[in-house]
Amino acid sequence: MAELIDGKAIAAKMREQIAADTQELIAKKVTPGLAVVLVGEDPASRVYVSMKEKACAAAGIYSVEHKLATETSEAELLELIVALNEDEKIDGILVQLPLPDHIDESKVLETISPAKDVDGFHPYNVGRLVTGNPVFQPCTPYGVMKMLEYTGVELKGKEVVVVGRSNIVGKPVALMCLAEHATVTICHSRTADLSQKVASADVVIAAVGRPEMIKGEWIKKGAIVIDVGVNRVGEKKLVGDVDFAGACENAAAITPVPGGVGPMTITMLLYNTLLSAKRRAGMVD
Ligand code: NDP
């Protein structure tokens, strides 16, 4: 039976350290600050934003929320971002996605100063990740890497198969594994023989968004399985992209859903905000 990789426990440990480092910075008169911008009424986005605010408060990080009406114009939103770029109390700016259709998402993300882009979505930060000199790494894939690190998984020379090639998970996590000297295969909806690709992996990272599509029997004996997927089935149940029960038969270690990658994402947002504040304080490059 596979060992569980407990994202909740790893996240709690990291958040303790983040809170301690935050106090140290505050003693030096630098309070880490995060601005969260929410446009519109999307209920899921509202929940995410309030979770982010609570997590900031628990870590001692100052946070400010800008709730804008759905009909806010693109120009108004860009104006707010420019003001936040110049605000000395703010180390990180997060614009909750998705944005209403009349607003150009890339224009918004490109207006955020790369030095405050704690989500790591600005093309400058994407480029820095590609070239192996990251400034801010996107939160979900970065959380995956921290989980692997805490679990003691050495990636050097390993075969990593990433299923999914989105800009927010699949592609960046593949680049991060490459930077750790893994041999990386990226699979997607047009990949032939997905089961064989998965079967060749020492580490499988699933970011597809399809409930339990990766079958337990595809997993190589002793592999590590990281399931980023969050899929709602029925009224209340959440499942990942991997058939958890089946995969437990073969994997050496696996993340549960919920309680796996999920708690790491907000943790890495706090981590990046703290990192930005440490840069403001001249403590790190
Ligand atoms: P996207 O929908 O942007 O990307 C899904 C990827 O899966 C695409 O690259 C797509 O391929 C690929 N795919 C779809 N169907 C198949 C298939 N049958 N076989 C192989 N590949 C397939 O999703 P995200 O990357 O944004 O999210 C992925 C999952 O992770 C979702 O469940 C999401 O909820 C979850 N998530 C969880 C987070 C967390 O904090 N825990 C944060 C972010 C996401 P193609 O490119 O060819 O279309």
Side-chain angles (χ1 to χ4, degrees), residues 34-38 46 49-50 53 63-68:
L34 175 71
V36 181
V37 182
L38 173 65
R46 279 174 167 270
V49 165
S50 95
E53 291 206 301
S63 78
V64 55
E65 189 188 338
H66 294 270
K67 267 193 197 151
L68 307 180

Side-chain angles (χ1 to χ4, degrees), residues 140 163-166 168-170 187-190 194 207-210 213 228-231 241 261-262 265:
T140 300
V163 191
R165 57 173 165 179
S166 72
I168 64 165
V169 191
C187 301
H188 47 78
S189 65
R190 305 329 192 268
L194 180 65
V208 187
R210 292 182 186 266
M213 70 150 296
V228 184
V230 181
N231 307 289
D241 291 338
V261 177
T265 298

Side-chain angles (χ1 to χ4, degrees), residues 14 27 32 38 51-52 55 61 69 78 86 95 102 144 152 161 168 177 184 194 222 226 251-252 264 269 280:
M14 284 193 71
L38 173 65
M51 282 164 67
K52 286 167 188 175
I61 292 174
L78 296 181
E86 284 161 11
V95 177
H102 65 278
V144 168
V161 170
I168 64 165
C177 291
V184 183
L194 180 65
I226 306 288
M264 295 300 291
L269 174 67
R280 171 154 65 99

Side-chain angles (χ1 to χ4, degrees), residues 151-189:
T151 311
V153 177
E154 159 92 72
L155 288 175
K156 197 181 346 175
K158 295 276 170 61
E159 296 285 337
V160 173
V161 170
V162 178
V163 191
R165 57 173 165 179
S166 72
N167 288 333
I168 64 165
V169 191
K171 278 184 210 161
V173 87
L175 286 164
M176 290 175 196
C177 291
L178 193 61
E180 292 300 322
H181 312 294
T183 302
V184 183
T185 304
I186 306 177
C187 301
H188 47 78
S189 65

